[in-house]
């Protein structure tokens, strides 16, 4: 075969800015592109064999060989090969056309799109530029190829810049293609086998063709080691013969068998009915390199109206502060594209882990990003629907297991409801709430046990223990809502459930109230008019002594006469204070909202009655003031921690009261 020279008519000023500045943001993409092309060539050969136009092989493979000494990286496949380079659809953009032929269809397309990169929604499929990614890391690229067609001649294509090339006689003896990259000095990382293995594991781990990694340096080291061992064994053998001994046979140390580095049969391509629980757990550990086990999973298997397969896992969140992105890997025909693509996976589902393989995804020419396409939205909605269906199925058929999962998945579900109101509509009846009596119930079940539409909740079981005790003593229940999403989540429910109701009819309005915001309904007992005679005096006594320490003072009849007073907090101020905390956590200052605390005083308390009787005695004034202060601080302490100065005053006052008690006993 005679050597020919030519020049690619796609000028560097047109093509390489697209490749280097837009198409491939990461250099390591070239490994994915060249390996994928090799797998495509093998797939085409298999299809031809299936219709009798080629001979089926049993050793299809892609080999990636690292040779650090010769600065080369070689990609070899035994696919269809190429019948000359000029008309190869495998290289696509590399064409041996006469100089000056500005009407070549590929050149026309490049020129069309180079000025409209952001608008290039139709570029994929017109020409493939994967091959050109090799020039990002190479000083020279060689292609040695032989077509599967009978009578074909091997061809070698060589280029140092991607623009000018030579074509001559190749060396291949069997069909397929080898691409040899001479790695440039500033890309030495790609001459280390561990680096290439890392890239292959990232992008090519689930490709349907076996991939083998060869390391020339390691092979040389192992060969030298085997030669050394063989020489030592021979010397021992000869020495034994010399000494008249019968030596053991010389053991031959064979090279280690090279194994494929990838899994050609990922679990998601199988039918769900063929997968066991152990299969799902093992696959989870394999993909995400963890010893943890998922809570449960969803196997996606859709053929119409689009092709979608995958597995979504619900991981166990160790705490609410682990509200971070999980890892949902997106594949296109088993080729890794990217992690956590929000166009396909809604933001709230990115808390999950999993794999999604969708051949119908409209990728751009680099296969790294999605083009705008309405089908993407359909895929996203379908995934949300499947997640909602899974949750409802678990709730209806495995309620006990669902309740066990709840504490781990509630953050994800609430986040999803806040991000997607349609998701809330789908699963609102299976949202569970943990109660102060240790059960898990939904909203309908809670409201069925209450006479009104008020939903009482607890944010801190320890801090609000006094209030919880009062609820339990009176046969009442409350929900535990103690994570950072619960305040906006309550707001969402109030909005969704009340949007069609008349706001003037308060009996029909659903509302959340923290357990310490409306405690009077729980604490109160019926009071006679004569019992209320001293109410104004009690209110004035505390207000005169405490002033603006609390925002309001009110007298009620408690069922528990041992309680002197309790703090109540305005629900709106609770919400505003939470908002302030959220803003401050984000580094935003300026909001100055605090919880508004009022004092609810028990007219049935013997202590309160005694204080009223002593209020007019001048010699008891100091003690009365101390007691009023102490009652208020005790009530505040039962509600939340006192501020440092308040706590100091409380301790000093306690000591004074104990000293007074000692004096009374003398």
């Amino acid at each position: 075969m005679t050597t020919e020279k030519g020049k690619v008519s796609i000028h560097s000023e047109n093509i390489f800015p697209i490749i280097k500045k837009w198409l491939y943001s990461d250099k390591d993409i070239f490994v994915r592109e060249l390996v994928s092309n090799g797998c495509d060539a093998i797939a085409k050969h298999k299809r031809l064999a299936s219709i009798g136009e080629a001979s089926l092989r049993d050793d299809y493979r892609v080999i990636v060989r690292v040779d650090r000494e010769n600065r080369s990286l070689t990609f070899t496949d035994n696919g269809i090969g190429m019948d000359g380079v000029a008309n190869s659809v495998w290289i696509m953009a590399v064409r041996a056309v006469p100089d000056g032929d500005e009407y070549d269809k590929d050149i026309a397309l490049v020129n069309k799109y180079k000025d409209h990169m952001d608008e290039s929604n139709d570029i994929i499929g017109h020409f493939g530029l994967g091959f050109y990614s090799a020039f990002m890391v190479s000083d020279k690229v060689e292609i040695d190829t032989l077509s599967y067609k009978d009578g074909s001649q091997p061809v070698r294509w060589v280029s140092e810049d991607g623009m000018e090339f030579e074509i001559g006689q190749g060396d291949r003896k069997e069909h397929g293609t080898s691409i040899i990259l001479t790695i440039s000095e500033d890309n030495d990382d790609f001459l280390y086998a561990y680096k290439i293995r890392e890239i292959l594991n990232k992008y090519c781990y689930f490709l349907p063709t076996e991939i083998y990694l060869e390391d020339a340096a390691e092979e040389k080291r192992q060969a030298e080691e085997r030669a050394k061992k063989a020489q030592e064994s021979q010397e021992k053998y000869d020495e034994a013969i010399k000494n008249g001994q019968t030596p053991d046979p010389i053991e031959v140390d064979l090279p280690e068998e090279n194994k494929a580095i990838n899994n050609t049969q990922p679990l998601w391509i199988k039918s769900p009915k063929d997968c066991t629980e152990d299969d799902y757990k093992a696959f989870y550990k394999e993909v995400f390199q963890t010893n943890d086990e998922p809570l449960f999973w969803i196997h996606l298997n859709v053929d119409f109206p689009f092709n979608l397969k995958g597995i979504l896992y619900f991981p166990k969140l160790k705490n609410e502060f682990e509200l971070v992105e999980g890892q949902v890997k997106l594949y296109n025909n088993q080729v890794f594209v990217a992690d956590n693509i929000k166009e396909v996976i809604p933001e709230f589902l990115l808390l999950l882990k999993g794999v999604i393989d969708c051949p119908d995804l409209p990728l751009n020419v680099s296969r790294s990003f999605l083009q705008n396409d309405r089908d993407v939205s359909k895929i996203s909605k379908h995934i949300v629907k499947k997640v909602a269906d899974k949750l409802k199925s678990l709730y209806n058929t495995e309620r006990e297991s669902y309740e066990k999962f709840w504490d781990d998945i509630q953050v994800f579900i609430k986040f999803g409801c806040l991000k997607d109101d349609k998701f809330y509509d789908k699963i609102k009846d299976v949202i569970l709430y943990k109660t102060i009596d240790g059960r898990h119930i939904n909203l309908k079940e809670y409201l069925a046990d209450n006479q009104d539409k008020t939903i009482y909740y607890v944010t801190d079981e320890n801090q609000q223990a006094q209030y919880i005790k009062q609820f339990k003593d009176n046969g009442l229940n409350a929900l535990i809502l103690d994570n950072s999403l619960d305040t906006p989540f309550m707001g969402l429910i109030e909005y969704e459930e009340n949007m069609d109701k008349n706001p003037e009819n308060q009996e029909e309005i659903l509302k959340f109230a923290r357990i310490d915001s409306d405690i009077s309904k729980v604490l109160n007992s019926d009071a006679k008019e004569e019992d209320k005679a001293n109410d104004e005096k009690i209110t004035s006594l505390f207000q005169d002594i405490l002033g603006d320490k609390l925002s309001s003072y009110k007298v009620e009849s408690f069922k528990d006469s041992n309680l002197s007073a309790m703090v109540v907090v305005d629900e709106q101020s609770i919400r505003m204070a939470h908002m302030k905390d959220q803003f401050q956590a984000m580094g935003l200052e300026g909001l100055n909202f605090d919880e508004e605390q009022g004092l609810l005083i028990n007219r049935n308390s013997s202590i309160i009655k005694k204080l009223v009787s002593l209020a007019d005695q001048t010699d008891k004034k100091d003690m009365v003031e101390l007691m009023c202060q102490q009652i208020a601080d005790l009530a505040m302490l039962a509600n939340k921690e006192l501020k440092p100065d308040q706590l100091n005053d409380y301790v000093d006052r306690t000591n004074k009261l104990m000293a007074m008690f000692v004096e009374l006993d003398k």
Side-chain angles (χ1 to χ4, degrees):
M1 182 176 181
T2 58
T3 299
E4 300 177 9
K5 293 187 177 182
K7 188 173 184 179
V8 179
S9 57
I10 302 176
H11 301 298
S12 61
E13 63 180 311
N14 293 333
I15 187 67
F16 278 99
I18 297 176
I19 295 171
K20 294 183 177 181
K21 297 181 181 180
W22 178 58
L23 292 181
Y24 301 105
S25 56
D26 298 317
K27 286 185 178 181
D28 61 9
I29 289 292
F30 81 93
V31 176
R32 182 192 72 182
E33 294 300 301
L34 297 184
V35 172
S36 298
N37 285 340
C39 292
D40 290 344
I42 290 171
K44 290 173 183 175
H45 192 270
K46 287 181 178 179
R47 285 197 293 271
L48 290 169
S50 69
I51 59 175
E53 294 188 9
S55 298
L56 187 67
R57 306 176 62 115
D58 58 4
D59 64 343
Y60 290 111
R61 62 186 55 197
V62 173
I63 300 172
V64 183
R65 183 172 181 80
V66 183
D67 189 342
R68 189 161 66 249
E69 184 176 349
N70 293 310
R71 301 193 63 79
S72 67
L73 187 59
T74 303
F75 298 81
T76 301
D77 70 79
N78 51 3
I80 60 172
M82 290 180 272
D83 187 14
V85 179
N87 63 355
S88 170
V89 296
W90 196 74
I91 296 182
M92 309 279 298
V94 180
R95 293 183 174 274
V97 297
D99 289 342
D101 185 355
E102 297 299 323
Y103 297 95
D104 179 86
K105 64 178 182 178
D106 286 342
I107 290 90
L109 280 168
V110 172
N111 285 328
K112 174 183 177 181
Y113 287 109
K114 74 182 180 71
D115 297 324
H116 303 281
M117 294 177 183
D118 295 333
E119 305 168 14
S120 55
N121 296 332
D122 299 321
I123 195 170
I124 187 68
H126 287 296
F127 61 91
L129 296 175
F131 169 74
Y132 268 115
S133 63
F135 288 95
M136 295 191 299
V137 299
S138 307
D139 288 331
K140 181 172 70 174
V141 178
E142 302 173 60
I143 302 174
D144 197 6
T145 185
L146 175 62
S147 173
Y148 76 99
K149 297 177 181 178
D150 292 339
S152 297
Q153 296 294 314
V155 176
R156 180 178 291 273
W157 181 95
V158 183
S159 177
E160 293 185 358
D161 58 5
M163 296 293 101
E164 296 184 354
F165 60 85
E166 291 185 0
I167 298 178
Q169 183 73 39
D171 299 323
R172 284 192 71 93
K173 304 300 182 189
E174 64 172 10
H175 63 84
T177 302
S178 293
I179 299 179
I180 306 98
L181 312 184
T182 301
I183 303 299
S184 59
E185 291 185 1
D186 57 344
N187 289 289
D188 279 352
D189 283 356
F190 299 111
L191 290 172
Y192 290 89
Y194 78 87
K195 175 68 173 179
I196 301 302
R197 182 181 294 274
E198 183 182 278
I199 299 170
L200 291 171
N201 284 338
K202 178 180 179 181
Y203 292 108
C204 308
Y205 188 75
F206 292 115
L207 282 174
T209 300
E210 289 187 346
I211 301 167
Y212 292 82
L213 177 62
E214 296 178 353
D215 182 1
E218 179 62 17
E219 290 173 2
K220 182 179 180 181
R221 185 193 67 78
Q222 290 181 7
E224 291 174 348
E225 189 174 300
R226 287 195 303 272
K228 183 180 179 182
K229 287 182 179 180
Q231 183 179 352
E232 291 173 352
S233 297
Q234 185 65 52
E235 290 174 354
K236 288 180 181 179
Y237 186 89
D238 293 341
E239 184 68 22
I241 295 293
K242 183 179 177 181
N243 296 330
Q245 300 172 343
T246 303
D248 295 329
I250 297 175
E251 294 183 2
V252 179
D253 191 7
L254 299 175
E256 294 180 5
E257 181 184 359
N258 197 9
K259 297 180 180 179
I261 67 167
N262 59 322
N263 178 354
T264 62
Q265 295 291 315
L267 199 63
W268 74 73
I269 69 174
K270 299 180 180 180
S271 172
K273 64 181 177 62
D274 296 328
C275 304
T276 67
E277 180 176 330
D278 288 341
D279 290 336
Y280 286 113
K281 291 179 178 179
F283 187 69
Y284 179 80
K285 293 178 180 180
E286 178 186 6
V287 174
F288 300 105
Q289 297 296 297
T290 180
N291 290 321
D292 295 335
E293 291 189 350
L295 296 170
F296 57 95
W297 47 85
I298 301 170
H299 195 142
L300 304 168
N301 193 357
V302 183
D303 295 319
F304 183 83
F306 42 76
N307 191 348
L308 172 68
K309 298 184 186 306
I311 305 171
L312 290 177
Y313 290 95
F314 288 70
K316 183 177 182 179
L317 300 180
K318 294 179 174 61
N319 54 67
E320 68 167 290
F321 302 106
E322 205 178 25
L323 190 59
V324 295
E325 286 190 351
Q327 193 176 20
V328 180
K329 298 177 177 291
L330 182 65
Y331 291 80
N332 184 273
N333 281 319
Q334 296 177 231
V335 180
F336 176 75
V337 176
D339 288 317
N340 298 350
I341 294 185
K342 293 183 174 95
E343 292 87 347
V344 179
I345 311 297
E347 186 178 359
F348 71 92
L349 290 183
L350 293 178
L351 296 176
L352 306 181
K353 291 185 175 181
V355 291
I356 299 290
D357 192 345
C358 188
D360 296 337
L361 286 176
L363 300 178
N364 67 5
V365 70
S366 73
R367 293 193 287 189
S368 300
F369 303 97
L370 291 178
Q371 300 180 48
N372 294 323
D373 191 282
R374 62 183 180 181
D375 287 338
V376 175
S377 176
K378 293 179 181 177
I379 293 170
S380 178
K381 290 177 181 177
H382 181 81
I383 293 172
V384 172
K385 179 181 181 301
K386 295 297 289 185
V387 170
D389 290 345
K390 178 67 175 182
L391 293 171
K392 288 190 286 188
S393 175
L394 283 172
Y395 178 88
N396 292 322
T397 62
E398 301 178 49
R399 175 74 180 258
E400 186 175 347
S401 296
Y402 186 73
E403 290 181 6
K404 290 179 180 178
F405 295 148
W406 181 254
D407 289 344
D408 295 299
I409 67 173
Q410 63 163 321
V411 173
F412 146 75
I413 291 177
K414 291 173 181 178
F415 186 57
C417 292
L418 291 168
K419 299 297 290 188
D420 186 344
D421 56 352
K422 293 182 179 177
F423 180 67
Y424 170 77
D425 290 337
K426 288 183 175 70
I427 64 140
K428 62 182 180 180
D429 292 334
V430 303
I431 297 173
L432 295 181
Y433 304 84
K434 189 177 181 179
T435 64
I436 58 176
D437 60 4
R439 294 182 295 146
H440 284 89
I441 60 177
N442 63 22
L443 210 54
K444 289 182 179 179
E445 291 168 339
Y446 178 87
L447 292 173
D449 294 333
N450 288 272
Q451 297 180 349
D452 58 22
K453 292 285 187 175
T454 302
I455 303 166
Y456 294 99
Y457 67 95
V458 175
T459 57
D460 189 323
E461 290 182 83
N462 294 323
Q463 193 64 53
Q464 294 155 7
Q466 185 67 36
Y467 298 85
I468 293 173
K469 179 180 180 301
Q470 295 299 319
F471 260 60
K472 288 182 176 180
D473 290 346
N474 289 277
L476 297 174
N477 208 352
L479 309 179
I480 300 173
L481 300 174
D482 56 0
N483 74 59
S484 58
L485 289 179
D486 280 330
T487 297
F489 183 66
M490 289 186 293
L492 169 72
I493 293 177
E494 290 172 335
Y495 173 79
E496 293 288 342
E497 298 300 320
N498 295 326
M499 60 189 308
D500 297 325
K501 297 175 182 175
N502 183 359
E504 295 182 0
N505 187 1
Q506 287 298 307
E507 292 184 358
E508 292 298 317
I509 297 298
L510 184 148
K511 61 181 179 180
F512 284 84
R514 202 170 73 184
I515 198 168
D516 57 351
S517 69
D518 204 8
I519 196 72
S520 61
K521 292 183 180 179
V522 180
L523 298 177
N524 283 358
S525 64
D526 295 332
K528 301 176 182 179
E529 285 300 319
E530 55 265 30
D531 295 334
K532 301 179 182 179
N534 290 321
D535 284 3
E536 187 175 341
K537 190 173 183 179
I538 295 171
T539 305
S540 298
L541 175 65
F542 277 84
Q543 196 161 16
D544 291 344
I545 293 172
L546 302 176
D548 59 359
K549 185 172 185 175
L550 292 110
S551 61
S552 63
Y553 301 89
K554 187 179 179 181
V555 181
E556 298 280 3
S557 291
F558 293 4
K559 296 175 184 177
D560 187 353
S561 60
N562 292 319
L563 281 174
S564 300
M566 293 195 78
V567 164
V568 291
V569 186
D570 177 70
E571 180 65 28
Q572 187 64 28
S573 75
I574 293 173
R575 306 280 182 99
M576 297 301 291
H578 179 270
M579 186 185 297
K580 180 194 72 173
D581 293 340
Q582 294 293 328
F583 276 101
Q584 287 179 343
M586 294 185 290
L588 301 174
E589 304 291 339
L591 293 177
N592 190 28
F593 299 118
D594 292 313
E595 295 180 358
E596 293 183 9
Q597 295 179 317
L599 190 65
L600 208 59
I601 307 163
N602 184 12
R603 63 167 70 90
N604 292 337
S605 166
S606 57
I607 295 175
I608 298 298
K609 291 177 179 179
K610 185 66 175 178
L611 285 175
V612 171
S613 68
L614 297 176
D616 296 329
Q617 299 181 30
T618 305
D619 61 330
K620 304 294 184 185
K621 181 180 178 182
D622 290 345
M623 186 183 70
V624 170
E625 287 185 0
L626 285 174
M627 288 296 297
C628 288
Q629 292 275 6
Q630 201 75 348
I631 289 168
D633 277 353
L634 277 171
M636 293 170 66
L637 193 59
N639 181 259
K640 64 187 301 184
E641 294 179 359
L642 295 176
K643 296 177 181 178
D645 58 334
Q646 293 175 327
L647 185 60
N648 289 335
D649 290 343
Y650 175 77
V651 172
D652 291 342
R653 198 181 310 115
T654 302
N655 288 324
K656 288 181 181 178
L657 285 170
M658 287 190 294
M660 287 182 178
F661 179 78
V662 171
E663 289 296 322
L664 289 172
D665 197 44
K666 289 181 179 180

